[in-house]
Amino acid sequence: MSIMREFLRRPRLTGAIAPSSSTLAQAMTSGLGLDRAEVVVELGPGTGAITGAILRRLAPGARLVAVELNTVFARRLADRYQGSTVEVVQGSAEELATLVPYPVDVIVSGLPWTVMPHERQRRILDAAAGALGPSGRFSTFAYVHAAWTPPARRFAAELGARFSTVERSRVVWPNVPPAYVHRAAIPIHERPPTTASPNTLTTPP
């Protein structure tokens, strides 16, 4: 599956020029308690670079629902994981409450947050926080070169407004481009109408 081809076709929806590295996939899936989760959702699995890392950490009997908007990626992921515990759903993460109408323990996201419109970003984060149980956990990544741009800072603030704790990992250099991981826990289901400053614990690179 060529992520570069899909990036050239739809850059604002794909957001990446290369699949996530195995090192980034490990960072994305660590510290989430995946071995204790019963239901896990992956938003924007793309070519499935992180899907395999999630599966390796799941306990027998756990469910993984992969929500992918791109029809090409969704079809090929469904073919790859046919007959497995992975359920591939073609649709928008904004409709998560409809696509996955039951409590979720962990959400792992590969969505291109900084290239999407602000309102769509907020709707997806609302849907993700709303789908998680009281002790739910969330992880996503961002590219280092864009860390201090207004969209990236806005995303960090929006994430901090929806979760009680947010941590930022060390830089994952073996990735194209280098990236870091946001890990968030304990969704705030009743949050103030205005965006609060993020409660961020930053690990130096």
Side-chain angles (χ1 to χ4, degrees):
M1 291 183 285
S2 173
I3 197 166
M4 173 62 81
R5 182 172 61 244
E6 293 304 309
F7 173 80
L8 293 174
R9 289 180 60 212
R10 302 176 180 179
R12 293 184 66 85
L13 292 180
T14 304
I17 60 172
S20 299
S21 69
S22 59
T23 306
L24 180 58
Q26 291 301 313
M28 282 279 287
T29 55
S30 66
L32 300 177
L34 286 170
D35 58 323
R36 302 185 301 274
E38 295 181 2
V39 180
V40 177
V41 169
E42 183 181 8
L43 301 178
T47 60
I50 297 173
T51 309
I54 297 172
L55 284 174
R56 286 190 289 273
R57 293 180 182 269
L58 290 183
R63 299 181 62 184
L64 173 56
V65 183
V67 178
E68 175 57 56
L69 181 62
N70 184 295
T71 55
V72 174
F73 289 154
R75 182 175 65 252
R76 294 181 180 176
L77 283 171
D79 291 341
R80 177 190 295 181
Y81 290 107
Q82 186 175 12
S84 74
T85 58
V86 180
E87 178 186 352
V88 179
V89 178
Q90 197 275 317
S92 171
E94 297 176 64
E95 306 300 327
L96 189 56
T98 301
L99 300 175
V100 188
Y102 38 82
V104 176
D105 300 305
V106 178
I107 294 176
V108 178
S109 171
L111 295 176
W113 299 104
T114 59
V115 299
M116 68 176 64
H118 186 198
E119 285 307 311
R120 182 165 184 260
Q121 184 185 90
R122 295 184 68 181
R123 289 193 298 269
I124 294 175
L125 284 174
D126 282 342
L132 288 167
S135 59
R137 294 177 179 271
F138 176 92
S139 77
T140 191
F141 70 89
Y143 294 127
V144 171
H145 68 268
W148 303 110
T149 62
R153 293 169 66 88
R154 182 181 66 211
F155 173 76
E158 295 287 0
L159 191 62
R162 290 164 175 80
F163 291 89
S164 298
T165 62
V166 179
E167 298 178 346
R168 175 173 155 177
S169 77
R170 294 177 180 273
V171 174
V172 179
W173 294 107
N175 192 72
V176 182
Y180 58 88
V181 176
H182 290 291
R183 297 188 191 95
I186 311 175
I188 303 170
H189 290 136
E190 294 183 5
R191 61 188 181 87
T194 56
T195 300
S197 299
N199 178 16
T200 304
L201 306 176
T202 304
T203 303

